[in-house]
Amino acid sequence: MKLYYSPTSPYVRKVVILALETGLDAKIQRIPAATTPVAQNPDVAKANPVAKVPTLVTDDGLHLFDSRVICEYLDTLHAGRKFFPADASRWAVLRQQALGDGLLDAALLVRYEGFLRPEDKRWSDWADGQMKKVLGAMAEIEKLAPSFGDRVDIGTVTIACALGYLDFRFGDMNWRQKYPQTAAWAQRFFERPSVKATVPVG
């Protein structure tokens, strides 16, 4: 399998953590592919009509995109504990994945507004509105964090990647001080080898 990726993408990080946790990483060739909303990577665009990473090309030539789809596909390829549970906990786990992804979607829009958009075209109300979504997601994660325990599933992995992105791009947010339950859980989860191996740099 081939994975088009950027090492700073939190969505790619979700896929790589799942691959490492399930032992599938050795079967995946990672292909660096820098891409932004205003500068598409031509190789990614050939494999994915929306030209975004992560994009996975399977051994039988299927092109999969969106981290949620790729992660669920990879979860079918191993015999270990599933990241997408089939029992009654499934909907709570998927909701947690949506919560983490929603935080990331909003945070990335703030990042793009301040980093990619020309300064004279930036809209502070837009960025503030997206940050309200980030803070709303963080408040919900703070309520849920005591229930996470030692679970490792697509919900907790996604939330960990979202928190890691805040560390990477929004370090001045100091979320650990404001959300102590989340910080206590993250301190343990961030010690996992798969999480340590995928910390974004750059």
Side-chain angles (χ1 to χ4, degrees):
M1 292 181 283
K2 296 179 180 179
L3 178 70
Y4 291 96
Y5 84 106
S6 165
T8 61
S9 165
Y11 303 105
V12 168
R13 192 181 187 190
K14 284 172 58 179
V15 173
V16 176
I17 286 176
L18 189 148
L20 289 167
E21 290 279 348
T22 58
L24 292 170
D25 187 58
K27 298 180 179 180
I28 299 173
Q29 177 188 358
R30 298 189 210 174
I31 301 174
T35 184
T36 75
V38 296
Q40 291 186 358
N41 181 292
D43 293 328
V44 176
K46 289 178 184 177
N48 176 350
V50 295
K52 295 169 67 176
V53 294
T55 294
L56 182 75
V57 181
T58 70
D59 290 339
D60 57 2
L62 183 64
H63 293 192
L64 298 177
F65 43 92
D66 190 289
S67 62
R68 291 165 289 196
V69 175
I70 295 171
C71 285
E72 191 155 10
Y73 172 77
L74 293 177
D75 206 34
T76 70
L77 302 183
H78 68 99
R81 172 189 41 78
K82 296 302 181 182
F83 281 66
F84 291 79
D87 61 16
S89 68
R90 177 176 177 83
W91 300 112
V93 169
L94 291 181
R95 180 180 183 273
Q96 290 160 17
Q97 177 182 218
L99 182 61
D101 280 339
L103 189 161
L104 282 172
D105 292 344
L108 278 163
L109 288 174
V110 176
R111 167 73 177 169
Y112 292 155
E113 187 72 17
F115 181 72
L116 289 179
R117 192 181 297 277
E119 187 171 359
D120 64 325
K121 293 180 172 61
R122 293 173 190 169
W123 186 13
S124 61
D125 288 350
W126 169 265
D128 291 345
Q130 299 307 315
M131 280 306 299
K132 286 181 181 178
K133 297 178 184 180
V134 171
L135 297 176
M138 287 301 299
E140 182 66 12
I141 292 169
E142 178 71 1
K143 289 191 287 186
L144 295 172
S147 71
F148 292 162
D150 296 323
R151 283 194 295 111
V152 183
D153 54 35
I154 197 60
T156 55
V157 166
T158 304
I159 287 173
C161 290
L163 298 175
Y165 187 74
L166 294 181
D167 283 341
F168 182 48
R169 296 298 193 196
F170 297 86
D172 59 352
M173 184 177 171
N174 295 320
W175 61 264
R176 286 172 178 79
Q177 293 181 11
K178 299 172 185 176
Y179 306 100
Q181 300 280 6
T182 303
W185 169 77
Q187 184 175 4
R188 300 191 307 272
F189 199 89
F190 283 11
E191 287 300 311
R192 298 190 69 81
S194 64
V195 179
K196 283 186 169 183
T198 54
V199 174
V201 294

